[in-house]
Amino acid sequence: MNNRIAILILVTAALAAPIFAQTSPLPLPPDIEKQLATRASDVTEVTLGKNMLAFAAKFMNGKDKDDAAARHLIEGLDGIYVRDYEFDKEGQYSMDELKQLRASFQSPEWSSIVHTRERGSGETTDIMVKLVNGESRGMFILSAEPKELSIVLILGPIRMDELGELKGLGGLGALSNIQKDTQGKKKGDNQ
């Protein structure tokens, strides 16, 4: 029940974001975002900057163990950005667009920790971590299926063992599997 309240608060905060004029754009090529949104049959966009995360954290119950852990994690974050595009048929996004999305995070600060390709299904997954002075300061996740493309960007100090705490918040359930994925795979592994 408490997780439902937290989800409701985060969704409300996301819907209220334009009212508070958040100016933290997702650091992706804007043309690609617009093109994907135009071709997709269903689009989900969540933009929670530092102020909105702090606002949402105030409503989380500090007495509940899960809520307290999630609150502790999001209080230190600079932003959570989620983009999910669902398409009616395969081939409505290109491999070139995926390359451009990956290229947005190819810098000395960003390191690939999971890179998988499944030939049979055409699914790909990329997980990259931003390291600053040896500390994790962000995570980028790109998951591509033939008819769905998901992008998650978390900015700020994060620890892999804490990511599962976000699983009950606004569509971030996949984060609970990241710790398992990163422990079982090494940089550059292909499947």
Side-chain angles (χ1 to χ4, degrees):
M1 184 81 168
N2 288 333
N3 281 338
R4 288 184 186 161
I5 293 169
I7 291 168
L8 179 63
I9 290 168
L10 283 175
V11 169
T12 302
L15 294 173
I19 296 169
F20 294 107
Q22 291 275 28
T23 57
S24 301
L26 185 63
L28 295 174
D31 291 343
I32 291 178
E33 273 194 271
K34 290 176 188 173
Q35 292 169 11
L36 290 169
T38 299
R39 293 188 303 254
S41 56
D42 293 311
V43 178
T44 301
E45 295 180 350
V46 177
T47 302
L48 298 171
K50 190 169 186 73
N51 292 338
M52 291 310 282
L53 288 170
F55 176 75
K58 289 179 184 179
F59 293 96
M60 298 177 112
N61 180 358
K63 295 177 185 176
D64 180 83
K65 182 182 172 186
D66 292 337
D67 281 354
R71 180 179 180 171
H72 172 72
L73 178 60
I74 67 172
E75 282 179 334
L77 294 178
D78 297 322
I80 298 176
Y81 306 91
V82 179
R83 301 295 186 263
D84 189 62
Y85 305 99
E86 293 182 32
F87 303 95
D88 288 329
K89 56 186 176 182
E90 294 182 19
Q92 290 190 285
Y93 67 85
S94 70
M95 288 299 130
D96 185 51
E97 288 170 319
L98 293 182
K99 286 179 186 177
Q100 289 179 43
L101 290 170
R102 289 182 191 108
S104 299
F105 295 91
Q106 290 179 344
S107 73
E109 291 182 329
W110 288 92
S111 299
S112 178
I113 59 172
V114 175
H115 178 78
T116 64
R117 303 285 177 270
E118 296 180 16
R119 290 183 188 175
S121 67
E123 295 179 16
T124 65
T125 302
D126 292 276
I127 302 175
M128 301 176 84
V129 174
K130 181 179 182 180
L131 295 174
V132 178
N133 297 324
E135 305 249 337
S136 175
R137 300 294 298 171
M139 178 174 281
F140 170 69
I141 303 159
L142 176 62
S143 176
E145 299 176 16
K147 293 170 56 176
E148 185 174 359
L149 184 62
S150 299
I151 301 164
V152 177
L153 178 62
I154 302 171
L155 296 175
I158 56 173
R159 291 181 34 194
M160 295 301 227
D161 59 336
E162 293 179 337
L163 280 178
E165 301 302 331
L166 291 175
K167 67 182 178 256
L169 304 176
L172 299 176
L175 294 177
S176 62
N177 295 327
I178 291 172
Q179 184 178 6
K180 290 183 242 175
D181 287 346
T182 57
Q183 289 174 349
K185 297 178 180 163
K186 295 181 179 123
K187 181 179 173 181
D189 281 356
N190 289 326
Q191 289 187 350

